[in-house]
Amino acid sequence: MSRAFNFSAGPAALPEPVLRQAQAELLEWGAERASVMEVSHRGKAFMAMAAAAERDLRELLGIPDGYRVLFLQGGASQHFAQVPMNLARPDQAVDFILTGSWSEKAFADAAHFVRPRIAAGAQDGGFRAIPPRAQWQLSEDAAYVHIASNETIHGVEFFDAPDVGAVPLVADMSSNILSRPIDVSRYGLIFAGAQKNIGPSGLVIVIVREDLLERSAGRVARIFDYAAHAREDSLLNTPPTFAWYLAGLVFQWLKAKGGLAAMAASNDRKAAMLYAAIDGSDGYYANPVDPAARSRMNVPFTLHDAALDAIFLEESRAAGLLALKGHRLVGGMRASIYNAMPEEGVEALVAFMRDFARRHG
């Protein structure tokens, strides 16, 4: 078997040591004489694993007291609806900062439950930058402010939590959670689909300030109620057990790698290497994003001649570089370089890009 470098935006690459451990434990997990997928989620072994995974996540992110961590089913898109259901009344306004497709989708879905407002947006410029904070028009009475901390399609990223005053800040961190240290106390709620930096698809992690759990006040069906899930330690119903187990292995891997400070340094090196190759190609490759907002996780780029796109994709795949096709909304190419992408993978991509430009220039 020869594993390639997988640049997929999601489901994305998982750390090879994690996959190998899961492979070794697939038939018999621990002392259970059965797979982790086959044991009760209310059994002692699974509950101990779940508790350890939460402890490791809290340690990695420095999650303070007063926050609950939920391991839930579904995808992050479900929480475009579930967050307003839990944190706002139907008559309340919610402020959105539109920086790409995912914040746009969250804005549209929130309209079924609350009164969403565009407090700032970069849509007129093609989502190539983050609107300056001084231009945001926030509502003092908003239930919360929503941002997508990293836009996978357009390649735009927030590098710090914006100051939104006393209003809770909600962040969709699906594609950059665990990529660097963050100050969780700056956020009211963080949610993240697992399939980029946490584990396989089917799992969503929600980190929510405890006082915000009181806002649902029995208005929400139990299965959608964050407070109900918190009371049951995320075991209100059968959770995605295998995804939770794999997430726990990823957390252990991150700790063994040196934690989020070490991961941030590696991610910075990977992104700098790839952007340098794009910017130094004399126009053969181009990235349209404002350098101040360029994502470290998802790097979209175009070739100087779109007629070469199909050849680039065919040759890159043959070279062991997978899933480089750009999203249909923006075209071109996209390299997703999440935590599990080793620096050697980006080095291989950069070498291929330079060789391709030489041969097809």
Side-chain angles (χ1 to χ4, degrees), residues 268-281:
D268 287 345
R269 288 192 296 270
K270 290 185 296 185
M273 191 189 319
L274 184 49
Y275 284 119
I278 294 169
D279 294 341
S281 68

Side-chain angles (χ1 to χ4, degrees), residues 20-60:
R20 292 192 179 279
Q21 182 174 346
Q23 180 185 46
E25 297 178 340
L26 186 63
L27 292 179
E28 295 191 36
W29 174 55
E32 294 303 291
R33 302 179 66 187
S35 171
V36 68
M37 291 183 284
E38 300 173 312
V39 302
S40 170
H41 61 289
R42 299 189 186 278
K44 290 183 179 179
F46 185 86
M47 293 181 73
M49 181 282 296
E54 179 176 339
R55 286 195 302 272
D56 287 341
L57 179 61
R58 284 184 173 274
E59 179 182 339
L60 285 164

Side-chain angles (χ1 to χ4, degrees), residues 14-15 43 56 58 112 118 132 140 162 193 226 237 243 279 300 320 333 352:
L14 285 164
D56 287 341
R58 284 184 173 274
H112 296 284
I118 299 175
E140 293 183 2
Y226 293 145
N237 63 329
D279 294 341
M333 308 298 154
F352 171 82

Side-chain angles (χ1 to χ4, degrees), residues 53 144 244 257 265 360:
Y144 61 89
W244 197 335
K257 295 285 284 185
H360 294 280

Side-chain angles (χ1 to χ4, degrees), residues 276-289:
I278 294 169
D279 294 341
S281 68
D282 292 327
Y284 197 93
Y285 304 104
N287 171 276
V289 179

Side-chain angles (χ1 to χ4, degrees), residues 78 80-86 88-92 94 108-116 144 219:
Q78 175 178 314
F80 296 165
Q82 204 161 336
V83 171
M85 288 167 65
N86 278 268
R89 300 185 310 272
D91 62 335
Q92 280 188 293
V94 172
D109 285 353
H112 296 284
F113 306 98
V114 294
R115 294 188 297 108
Y144 61 89
R219 291 182 292 103

Side-chain angles (χ1 to χ4, degrees), residues 150-309:
N150 184 73
E151 293 277 3
T152 59
I153 295 174
H154 292 90
V156 174
E157 183 174 10
F158 283 87
F159 292 104
D160 197 7
D163 182 3
V164 295
V167 176
L169 178 63
V170 169
D172 173 1
M173 287 194 182
S174 294
S175 51
N176 66 348
I177 193 169
L178 297 172
S179 65
R180 68 175 189 270
I182 61 171
D183 183 355
V184 173
S185 69
R186 301 275 300 275
Y187 301 87
L189 185 147
I190 294 167
F191 66 97
Q195 66 273 15
K196 303 173 191 297
N197 270 333
I198 297 172
S201 59
L203 172 72
V204 177
I205 289 179
V206 175
I207 303 167
V208 55
R209 211 171 65 208
E210 288 183 349
D211 64 291
L212 297 179
L213 293 173
E214 301 171 4
R215 290 191 176 187
S216 58
R219 291 182 292 103
V220 183
R222 288 175 67 245
I223 197 63
F224 299 123
D225 189 348
Y226 293 145
H229 285 284
R231 286 193 295 269
E232 299 293 334
D233 294 323
S234 302
L235 298 175
L236 177 66
N237 63 329
T238 305
T241 55
F242 190 64
W244 197 335
Y245 153 79
L246 274 173
L249 296 186
V250 170
F251 301 156
Q252 293 172 18
W253 174 79
L254 284 168
K255 291 175 64 176
K257 295 285 284 185
L260 300 193
M263 196 53 57
S266 176
N267 287 329
D268 287 345
R269 288 192 296 270
K270 290 185 296 185
M273 191 189 319
L274 184 49
Y275 284 119
I278 294 169
D279 294 341
S281 68
D282 292 327
Y284 197 93
Y285 304 104
N287 171 276
V289 179
D290 177 359
R294 281 177 164 177
S295 169
R296 297 159 308 116
M297 299 285 98
N298 309 97
V299 181
F301 61 95
T302 55
L303 279 68
H304 74 103
D305 182 357
L308 292 169
D309 285 4

